[in-house]
Amino acid sequence: MTASTHSDCVIVGGGVTGTALLYELARFTDLKRLLLLERRERPAQVNSHAHNNSQTIHFGDIETNYSLEKAAAVKRTASMIVNYATKLPSRERDRIIHRMPKMVLGVGARECGYLRGRFQAFRDLYPRMQLLERHDIADLEPNVALVDGAWRKEEIVATGTPDDYCAVDFQALAESFSAQCVRIDRAADRHVSQLYGTAVSDIAKDGNDYVLQTSRGPMLARSVVVCAGGHSLLMAQQMGFGLEYSCLPVAGSFYFAPEALNGKVYTVQNPKLPFAAVHGDRDIVTDGKTRFGPTALMLPMLERYNRATIRDFFRVLNLDRDVVATLWDLMKVRDVRNYVLRNFLYEVPGLNRRLFLREIRKIVPDLRVRDIEYAHGYGGVRPQLIDRRTRELKMGEVKILDGHGIVFNMTPSPGGTSCLGNAEQDMRLVAEHLGARVDWTAFERELLTGHDDTRGVPPLAAAS
């Protein structure tokens, strides 16, 4: 690969977001020269890796921190994953998506009343969703409803689906997108290239093109899309864009228990807290384990367990009085203060298991300290952004555009779920900039129809 290489579009980042975009550009546009660059040796080795996320397809039905509007947006993009995977050969499909029960659990009169009301408000959007009473919960998740064979003392109710595609291996999904692009490259008169083990150190505008300085030498592109987590903001700010943002990396950890759940059990979100409540999930890559979490701990690094990214964190923190004021406003809320302290203690050996046990006994009440273990080496980092102008914590996806052909994506949770929907937005931006044709008929047929038909549902902006 030399400096004379001139791509129509270069994608920086080979996680599930970047590989989804490469797949959509290769499959649905007439662009001839596409290139993906990833500094790791294979796809999806950071936040998309199966160890580093909750392995959940977020449809919005069991996530009570989603409004009806946001749930509709997330449902559309989540359905695209299922529609894509269910059209694959069964062996490949079964590596990517998994069927199991899912529910959001209410414990106590207040939460049960809330869930009954939410069920009425959301049931039209989710026709398969059911209101699950105590006996229904016991049928699906006996360890949630029973303690030593007797009913647990608290009032419980849940809403959910007894059997549906709700778990995903995002690493396997990214590998599938990557493999599809290899097939397209071999079958069509075009060049769809993927270079792994290739780091990008700088991007600069040069006339109508962008010059990317990489570990393999300079490369030229007519358009660029950066899908590199917290490093997307770093690259944007190196070019003078997105300076109004500060990055606040939030690390999530997990705990393992033996096979306590058959599927996914979420809990009701505290509306005063900015992060999702702890949930339990049958792990799809670690046999015989139920995973509980994630916790939420602010860490000064852009990648979990990668100390080399500490310096990068300080470069995008942009600490000033607006950032300090935003954090101070958050910490003035008692629930937030307690939450931050609690999540710090969840990382302290000797204390963590006993303290976290109180959290997860809301889901499985008869768990004991000896039943759970800290999942060492598991967990990722969500790059939450602070808007320094408005002093707000941005909870959804953020795109930074220069208006001339480059896009920087910051995709915290549910970024994996939104990968194909996010790619749809970027494909539209790239095609409009380059004057390319998009086969929207094929796009609708392959990604918007199938297991959960979303034909006729208009594209929605990324939930925020």
Side-chain angles (χ1 to χ4, degrees):
M1 186 69 66
T2 68
S4 62
T5 299
H6 194 179
S7 301
D8 292 321
C9 182
V10 169
I11 300 164
V12 180
V16 73
T17 301
T19 53
L21 176 58
L22 184 69
Y23 163 71
E24 289 193 15
L25 291 174
R27 175 66 187 88
F28 303 116
T29 77
D30 58 356
L31 295 172
K32 298 294 186 183
R33 295 165 298 179
L34 303 172
L35 173 63
L36 182 143
L37 303 175
E38 165 56 46
R39 64 184 177 85
R40 301 293 181 114
E41 297 298 328
R42 52 185 297 195
Q45 294 303 292
V46 188
N47 285 339
S48 301
H49 192 283
H51 289 177
N52 296 338
N53 56 74
S54 296
Q55 306 170 349
T56 299
I57 308 177
H58 292 280
F59 278 89
D61 50 351
I62 62 172
E63 296 87 357
T64 62
N65 55 322
Y66 292 175
S67 66
L68 188 60
E69 180 183 11
K70 181 173 181 178
V74 170
K75 180 190 175 185
R76 181 182 186 275
T77 59
S79 298
M80 292 166 74
I81 291 178
V82 179
N83 293 336
Y84 168 84
T86 50
K87 293 181 175 69
L88 298 171
S90 58
R91 184 175 180 179
E92 186 174 1
R93 176 201 65 202
D94 293 344
R95 284 185 58 242
I96 297 170
I97 57 174
H98 302 260
R99 300 184 74 108
M100 60 182 68
K102 63 174 177 178
M103 66 179 70
V104 53
L105 175 71
V107 179
R110 183 184 62 81
E111 290 188 358
C112 291
Y114 167 77
L115 282 186
R116 293 181 190 279
R118 189 177 190 272
F119 174 74
Q120 296 302 323
F122 281 68
R123 63 189 306 180
D124 290 340
L125 183 60
Y126 300 100
R128 288 195 293 272
M129 183 171 67
Q130 300 177 18
L131 183 65
L132 304 170
E133 300 291 352
R134 184 183 297 266
H135 288 84
D136 305 312
I137 296 170
D139 289 341
L140 298 174
E141 298 287 2
N143 290 329
V144 173
L146 302 171
V147 179
D148 294 328
W151 295 114
R152 63 188 292 177
K153 295 178 180 179
E154 310 99 325
E155 179 185 357
I156 58 171
V157 76
T159 62
T161 310
D163 182 35
D164 208 352
Y165 287 115
C166 60
V168 57
D169 183 339
F170 287 111
Q171 180 182 358
L173 179 60
E175 290 170 348
S176 177
F177 291 146
S178 175
Q180 293 280 7
C181 293
V182 171
R183 298 185 190 108
I184 292 169
D185 180 57
R186 290 173 178 170
D189 180 23
R190 60 206 309 195
H191 299 283
V192 184
S193 303
Q194 302 173 67
L195 294 180
Y196 293 92
T198 306
V200 177
S201 58
D202 184 70
I203 306 172
K205 193 84 165 74
D206 183 12
N208 293 326
D209 293 324
Y210 294 91
V211 181
L212 294 88
Q213 301 297 333
T214 81
S215 55
R216 296 177 186 248
M219 301 182 187
L220 302 179
R222 297 167 62 202
S223 64
V224 178
V225 182
V226 182
C227 307
H231 285 94
S232 292
L233 182 60
L234 178 61
M235 292 184 186
Q237 292 184 343
Q238 287 174 337
M239 294 185 70
F241 305 116
L243 298 176
E244 68 273 24
Y245 292 115
S246 173
C247 185
L248 185 68
V250 179
S253 298
F254 295 95
Y255 286 76
F256 279 137
E259 294 178 310
L261 297 175
N262 296 317
K264 294 182 174 290
V265 180
Y266 276 53
T267 54
V268 175
Q269 173 77 16
N270 180 341
K272 295 181 181 179
L273 297 179
F275 304 113
V278 166
H279 45 87
D281 306 84
R282 192 188 88 204
D283 200 290
I284 59 176
V285 296
T286 307
D287 290 338
K289 297 289 187 180
T290 295
R291 196 192 299 194
F292 291 94
T295 62
L297 179 68
M298 298 173 193
L299 283 184
M301 56 182 64
L302 296 187
E303 292 180 16
R304 191 75 185 271
Y305 309 114
N306 185 353
R307 293 181 180 275
T309 65
I310 294 176
R311 183 182 64 176
D312 297 334
F313 159 73
F314 284 105
R315 294 168 68 185
V316 295
L317 176 60
N318 296 318
L319 188 63
D320 62 11
R321 63 182 183 181
D322 292 319
V323 174
V324 172
T326 304
L327 296 176
W328 179 251
D329 287 342
L330 281 173
M331 294 301 290
K332 285 193 295 186
V333 180
R334 179 182 176 184
D335 286 26
V336 173
R337 284 199 311 274
N338 293 341
Y339 179 80
V340 170
L341 175 60
R342 202 163 58 242
N343 278 268
F344 172 77
L345 295 176
Y346 291 157
E347 303 290 329
V348 178
L351 288 176
N352 53 0
R353 289 193 304 155
R354 292 184 180 277
L355 292 173
F356 195 69
L357 180 66
R358 301 176 188 174
E359 190 104 40
I360 59 178
R361 288 187 73 174
K362 181 175 182 179
I363 300 172
V364 181
D366 64 351
L367 281 176
R368 295 174 175 82
V369 171
R370 65 174 180 268
D371 297 326
I372 65 172
E373 60 178 320
Y374 185 85
H376 293 280
Y378 286 68
V381 167
R382 290 163 281 177
Q384 305 292 159
L385 297 189
I386 293 174
D387 189 324
R388 295 153 64 199
R389 300 164 303 181
T390 61
R391 296 184 176 181
E392 291 179 331
L393 192 65
K394 305 290 288 186
M395 298 309 299
E397 294 96 339
V398 172
K399 290 184 186 295
I400 298 173
L401 315 175
D402 75 341
H404 301 287
I406 192 166
V407 180
F408 300 91
N409 281 307
M410 272 66 68
T411 53
S413 180
T417 292
S418 301
C419 63
L420 287 167
N422 190 68
E424 176 188 1
Q425 297 176 47
D426 289 343
M427 177 172 63
R428 190 184 300 274
L429 290 169
V430 170
E432 289 176 353
H433 175 69
L434 299 180
R437 183 182 65 85
V438 180
D439 188 345
W440 291 110
T441 300
F443 178 87
E444 180 173 304
R445 180 179 64 248
E446 296 187 21
L447 296 181
L448 296 183
T449 62
H451 173 77
D452 194 351
D453 198 331
T454 52
R455 283 178 295 182
V457 179
L460 295 170
S464 61

